[in-house]
């Protein structure tokens, strides 16, 4: 798509594995699989506590149920975290091969993410949320996928961060991480 106006910002970025992992964690906690893992953990723990409380007359059975349910809940949570780590590592391998260094162009109504082997043009309306952490901007889509823009890449362009915040004003969230 040809643009008639000049872009708001143009910068290059090479996303590191740490930045990609942090962005994946942010995207997952906002509505992805890690969020459901925590919900499952809490529900399983609550169920275990409820059943153990109902067996209060049988102290040994209640203690055994609490220990067994706690072990199952923690094991399920650890397995979900492990699966998340493996998935992120595989996704980063594909991402880094496709976009070893990406040139990001911020237009008035869309974003271009140009790599050595791939080019993405996406309207801002296709993103469901912009999450800002101390070191990253994470552009999330409804399906759980995301684009990551490290803040270190924005150091040369002062207005790019402000432009992103203004563009996603209704879909903006800031995190501590």
């Amino acid at each position: 798509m040809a643009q008639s106006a000049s872009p708001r910002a143009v910068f290059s970025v090479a996303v590191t594995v740490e930045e990609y992992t942090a962005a994946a964690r942010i995207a997952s906690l906002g509505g992805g699989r890690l969020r459901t893992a925590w919900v499952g953990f809490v529900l399983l723990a609550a169920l275990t506590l409820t059943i153990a409380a109902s067996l209060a007359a049988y102290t040994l059975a209640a203690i055994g149920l609490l220990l067994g349910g706690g072990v199952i809940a923690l094991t399920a949570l650890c397995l979900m975290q492990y699966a998340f780590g493996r998935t992120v590592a595989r996704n980063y391998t594909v991402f880094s091969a496709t976009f070893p260094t990406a040139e990001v162009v911020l237009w008035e109504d869309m974003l271009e993410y140009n790599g050595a082997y791939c080019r993405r043009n996406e309207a801002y309306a296709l993103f469901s949320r912009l999450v800002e952490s101390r070191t990253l901007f994470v552009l999330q889509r409804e399906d759980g996928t995301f684009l990551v823009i490290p803040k270190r890449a924005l150091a040369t362009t002062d207005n790019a961060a402000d432009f992103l915040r203004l563009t996603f004003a209704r879909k903006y969230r800031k995190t501590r991480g």
Side-chain angles (χ1 to χ4, degrees), residues 121-138:
N121 294 337
E122 294 189 65
Y124 296 126
L126 296 177
F127 293 102
S128 61
R129 173 181 287 177
L130 170 72
V131 180
E132 179 182 0
S133 70
R134 282 183 282 130
T135 58
L136 302 170
F137 283 107
V138 181

PDB file of all heavy atoms in Angstrom, residues 121-138:
ATOM      1  N   ASN A 121       2.355  -5.614   6.992  1.00  0.00           N
ATOM      2  CA  ASN A 121       1.661  -4.327   7.029  1.00  0.00           C
ATOM      3  C   ASN A 121       0.356  -4.551   7.771  1.00  0.00           C
ATOM      4  O   ASN A 121      -0.466  -5.339   7.321  1.00  0.00           O
ATOM      5  CB  ASN A 121       1.350  -3.814   5.619  1.00  0.00           C
ATOM      6  CG  ASN A 121       2.596  -3.492   4.841  1.00  0.00           C
ATOM      7  OD1 ASN A 121       3.640  -3.234   5.419  1.00  0.00           O
ATOM      8  ND2 ASN A 121       2.498  -3.515   3.531  1.00  0.00           N
ATOM      9  N   GLU A 122       0.184  -3.882   8.891  1.00  0.00           N
ATOM     10  CA  GLU A 122      -1.029  -4.086   9.678  1.00  0.00           C
ATOM     11  C   GLU A 122      -1.585  -2.750  10.143  1.00  0.00           C
ATOM     12  O   GLU A 122      -0.854  -1.908  10.651  1.00  0.00           O
ATOM     13  CB  GLU A 122      -0.742  -4.962  10.897  1.00  0.00           C
ATOM     14  CG  GLU A 122      -0.347  -6.369  10.526  1.00  0.00           C
ATOM     15  CD  GLU A 122      -0.288  -7.269  11.720  1.00  0.00           C
ATOM     16  OE1 GLU A 122      -1.344  -7.505  12.326  1.00  0.00           O
ATOM     17  OE2 GLU A 122       0.813  -7.730  12.031  1.00  0.00           O
ATOM     18  N   ALA A 123      -2.879  -2.623   9.977  1.00  0.00           N
ATOM     19  CA  ALA A 123      -3.565  -1.434  10.484  1.00  0.00           C
ATOM     20  C   ALA A 123      -3.597  -1.491  12.008  1.00  0.00           C
ATOM     21  O   ALA A 123      -3.682  -2.569  12.597  1.00  0.00           O
ATOM     22  CB  ALA A 123      -4.977  -1.364   9.923  1.00  0.00           C
ATOM     23  N   TYR A 124      -3.539  -0.343  12.632  1.00  0.00           N
ATOM     24  CA  TYR A 124      -3.577  -0.297  14.099  1.00  0.00           C
ATOM     25  C   TYR A 124      -4.883  -0.867  14.644  1.00  0.00           C
ATOM     26  O   TYR A 124      -4.932  -1.392  15.752  1.00  0.00           O
ATOM     27  CB  TYR A 124      -3.401   1.134  14.609  1.00  0.00           C
ATOM     28  CG  TYR A 124      -2.054   1.723  14.262  1.00  0.00           C
ATOM     29  CD1 TYR A 124      -1.957   2.936  13.593  1.00  0.00           C
ATOM     30  CD2 TYR A 124      -0.874   1.076  14.597  1.00  0.00           C
ATOM     31  CE1 TYR A 124      -0.729   3.482  13.279  1.00  0.00           C
ATOM     32  CE2 TYR A 124       0.363   1.607  14.283  1.00  0.00           C
ATOM     33  CZ  TYR A 124       0.420   2.819  13.624  1.00  0.00           C
ATOM     34  OH  TYR A 124       1.636   3.345  13.310  1.00  0.00           O
ATOM     35  N   ALA A 125      -5.951  -0.793  13.851  1.00  0.00           N
ATOM     36  CA  ALA A 125      -7.253  -1.302  14.288  1.00  0.00           C
ATOM     37  C   ALA A 125      -7.232  -2.818  14.494  1.00  0.00           C
ATOM     38  O   ALA A 125      -8.076  -3.354  15.211  1.00  0.00           O
ATOM     39  CB  ALA A 125      -8.321  -0.935  13.272  1.00  0.00           C
ATOM     40  N   LEU A 126      -6.285  -3.525  13.896  1.00  0.00           N
ATOM     41  CA  LEU A 126      -6.207  -4.977  14.048  1.00  0.00           C
ATOM     42  C   LEU A 126      -5.606  -5.404  15.384  1.00  0.00           C
ATOM     43  O   LEU A 126      -5.690  -6.564  15.759  1.00  0.00           O
ATOM     44  CB  LEU A 126      -5.389  -5.593  12.915  1.00  0.00           C
ATOM     45  CG  LEU A 126      -5.984  -5.422  11.517  1.00  0.00           C
ATOM     46  CD1 LEU A 126      -5.045  -6.010  10.476  1.00  0.00           C
ATOM     47  CD2 LEU A 126      -7.342  -6.078  11.438  1.00  0.00           C
ATOM     48  N   PHE A 127      -4.994  -4.473  16.087  1.00  0.00           N
ATOM     49  CA  PHE A 127      -4.408  -4.785  17.391  1.00  0.00           C
ATOM     50  C   PHE A 127      -5.431  -4.509  18.484  1.00  0.00           C
ATOM     51  O   PHE A 127      -6.117  -3.496  18.476  1.00  0.00           O
ATOM     52  CB  PHE A 127      -3.143  -3.956  17.624  1.00  0.00           C
ATOM     53  CG  PHE A 127      -2.024  -4.305  16.700  1.00  0.00           C
ATOM     54  CD1 PHE A 127      -1.727  -3.500  15.613  1.00  0.00           C
ATOM     55  CD2 PHE A 127      -1.274  -5.451  16.886  1.00  0.00           C
ATOM     56  CE1 PHE A 127      -0.704  -3.816  14.752  1.00  0.00           C
ATOM     57  CE2 PHE A 127      -0.243  -5.784  16.032  1.00  0.00           C
ATOM     58  CZ  PHE A 127       0.042  -4.961  14.956  1.00  0.00           C
ATOM     59  N   SER A 128      -5.523  -5.430  19.428  1.00  0.00           N
ATOM     60  CA  SER A 128      -6.517  -5.279  20.486  1.00  0.00           C
ATOM     61  C   SER A 128      -6.006  -4.456  21.664  1.00  0.00           C
ATOM     62  O   SER A 128      -6.803  -3.926  22.428  1.00  0.00           O
ATOM     63  CB  SER A 128      -6.965  -6.649  20.987  1.00  0.00           C
ATOM     64  OG  SER A 128      -5.872  -7.359  21.523  1.00  0.00           O
ATOM     65  N   ARG A 129      -4.687  -4.342  21.794  1.00  0.00           N
ATOM     66  CA  ARG A 129      -4.150  -3.650  22.961  1.00  0.00           C
ATOM     67  C   ARG A 129      -2.681  -3.306  22.742  1.00  0.00           C
ATOM     68  O   ARG A 129      -1.957  -4.013  22.060  1.00  0.00           O
ATOM     69  CB  ARG A 129      -4.294  -4.545  24.185  1.00  0.00           C
ATOM     70  CG  ARG A 129      -3.624  -4.016  25.429  1.00  0.00           C
ATOM     71  CD  ARG A 129      -3.778  -4.940  26.573  1.00  0.00           C
ATOM     72  NE  ARG A 129      -5.152  -4.862  27.023  1.00  0.00           N
ATOM     73  CZ  ARG A 129      -5.657  -5.591  27.983  1.00  0.00           C
ATOM     74  NH1 ARG A 129      -4.915  -6.469  28.598  1.00  0.00           N
ATOM     75  NH2 ARG A 129      -6.902  -5.464  28.349  1.00  0.00           N
ATOM     76  N   LEU A 130      -2.250  -2.232  23.365  1.00  0.00           N
ATOM     77  CA  LEU A 130      -0.836  -1.882  23.464  1.00  0.00           C
ATOM     78  C   LEU A 130      -0.476  -1.961  24.940  1.00  0.00           C
ATOM     79  O   LEU A 130      -1.087  -1.288  25.769  1.00  0.00           O
ATOM     80  CB  LEU A 130      -0.563  -0.473  22.937  1.00  0.00           C
ATOM     81  CG  LEU A 130       0.839   0.067  23.211  1.00  0.00           C
ATOM     82  CD1 LEU A 130       1.865  -0.641  22.343  1.00  0.00           C
ATOM     83  CD2 LEU A 130       0.917   1.553  22.993  1.00  0.00           C
ATOM     84  N   VAL A 131       0.497  -2.792  25.259  1.00  0.00           N
ATOM     85  CA  VAL A 131       0.965  -2.914  26.637  1.00  0.00           C
ATOM     86  C   VAL A 131       2.384  -2.377  26.685  1.00  0.00           C
ATOM     87  O   VAL A 131       3.237  -2.772  25.887  1.00  0.00           O
ATOM     88  CB  VAL A 131       0.929  -4.380  27.122  1.00  0.00           C
ATOM     89  CG1 VAL A 131       1.426  -4.484  28.549  1.00  0.00           C
ATOM     90  CG2 VAL A 131      -0.469  -4.948  27.011  1.00  0.00           C
ATOM     91  N   GLU A 132       2.634  -1.475  27.617  1.00  0.00           N
ATOM     92  CA  GLU A 132       3.956  -0.890  27.785  1.00  0.00           C
ATOM     93  C   GLU A 132       4.559  -1.366  29.094  1.00  0.00           C
ATOM     94  O   GLU A 132       3.934  -1.277  30.150  1.00  0.00           O
ATOM     95  CB  GLU A 132       3.861   0.639  27.783  1.00  0.00           C
ATOM     96  CG  GLU A 132       5.195   1.312  27.972  1.00  0.00           C
ATOM     97  CD  GLU A 132       5.098   2.825  28.016  1.00  0.00           C
ATOM     98  OE1 GLU A 132       3.988   3.371  27.904  1.00  0.00           O
ATOM     99  OE2 GLU A 132       6.149   3.463  28.190  1.00  0.00           O
ATOM    100  N   SER A 133       5.772  -1.895  29.008  1.00  0.00           N
ATOM    101  CA  SER A 133       6.518  -2.249  30.215  1.00  0.00           C
ATOM    102  C   SER A 133       7.698  -1.276  30.311  1.00  0.00           C
ATOM    103  O   SER A 133       7.795  -0.338  29.528  1.00  0.00           O
ATOM    104  CB  SER A 133       6.993  -3.699  30.151  1.00  0.00           C
ATOM    105  OG  SER A 133       8.006  -3.847  29.188  1.00  0.00           O
ATOM    106  N   ARG A 134       8.595  -1.531  31.239  1.00  0.00           N
ATOM    107  CA  ARG A 134       9.754  -0.648  31.374  1.00  0.00           C
ATOM    108  C   ARG A 134      10.639  -0.660  30.135  1.00  0.00           C
ATOM    109  O   ARG A 134      11.255   0.336  29.815  1.00  0.00           O
ATOM    110  CB  ARG A 134      10.586  -1.036  32.595  1.00  0.00           C
ATOM    111  CG  ARG A 134       9.989  -0.565  33.897  1.00  0.00           C
ATOM    112  CD  ARG A 134      10.870  -0.894  35.078  1.00  0.00           C
ATOM    113  NE  ARG A 134      10.688  -2.312  35.398  1.00  0.00           N
ATOM    114  CZ  ARG A 134      11.676  -3.170  35.576  1.00  0.00           C
ATOM    115  NH1 ARG A 134      12.913  -2.780  35.498  1.00  0.00           N
ATOM    116  NH2 ARG A 134      11.420  -4.427  35.848  1.00  0.00           N
ATOM    117  N   THR A 135      10.686  -1.801  29.430  1.00  0.00           N
ATOM    118  CA  THR A 135      11.613  -1.936  28.314  1.00  0.00           C
ATOM    119  C   THR A 135      10.963  -2.237  26.965  1.00  0.00           C
ATOM    120  O   THR A 135      11.662  -2.258  25.961  1.00  0.00           O
ATOM    121  CB  THR A 135      12.620  -3.067  28.608  1.00  0.00           C
ATOM    122  OG1 THR A 135      11.898  -4.282  28.823  1.00  0.00           O
ATOM    123  CG2 THR A 135      13.471  -2.745  29.815  1.00  0.00           C
ATOM    124  N   LEU A 136       9.649  -2.468  26.942  1.00  0.00           N
ATOM    125  CA  LEU A 136       9.003  -2.934  25.713  1.00  0.00           C
ATOM    126  C   LEU A 136       7.666  -2.257  25.451  1.00  0.00           C
ATOM    127  O   LEU A 136       6.986  -1.821  26.376  1.00  0.00           O
ATOM    128  CB  LEU A 136       8.713  -4.444  25.791  1.00  0.00           C
ATOM    129  CG  LEU A 136       9.853  -5.401  26.014  1.00  0.00           C
ATOM    130  CD1 LEU A 136       9.299  -6.788  26.296  1.00  0.00           C
ATOM    131  CD2 LEU A 136      10.755  -5.432  24.809  1.00  0.00           C
ATOM    132  N   PHE A 137       7.310  -2.241  24.164  1.00  0.00           N
ATOM    133  CA  PHE A 137       5.940  -2.012  23.730  1.00  0.00           C
ATOM    134  C   PHE A 137       5.496  -3.325  23.101  1.00  0.00           C
ATOM    135  O   PHE A 137       6.183  -3.857  22.228  1.00  0.00           O
ATOM    136  CB  PHE A 137       5.843  -0.898  22.688  1.00  0.00           C
ATOM    137  CG  PHE A 137       5.948   0.481  23.254  1.00  0.00           C
ATOM    138  CD1 PHE A 137       7.086   1.236  23.068  1.00  0.00           C
ATOM    139  CD2 PHE A 137       4.893   1.036  23.965  1.00  0.00           C
ATOM    140  CE1 PHE A 137       7.188   2.510  23.569  1.00  0.00           C
ATOM    141  CE2 PHE A 137       4.989   2.315  24.489  1.00  0.00           C
ATOM    142  CZ  PHE A 137       6.130   3.057  24.292  1.00  0.00           C
ATOM    143  N   VAL A 138       4.366  -3.858  23.540  1.00  0.00           N
ATOM    144  CA  VAL A 138       3.842  -5.112  23.009  1.00  0.00           C
ATOM    145  C   VAL A 138       2.484  -4.811  22.381  1.00  0.00           C
ATOM    146  O   VAL A 138       1.550  -4.395  23.071  1.00  0.00           O
ATOM    147  CB  VAL A 138       3.693  -6.185  24.112  1.00  0.00           C
ATOM    148  CG1 VAL A 138       3.162  -7.478  23.523  1.00  0.00           C
ATOM    149  CG2 VAL A 138       5.017  -6.413  24.812  1.00  0.00           C
TER     150      VAL A 138
END
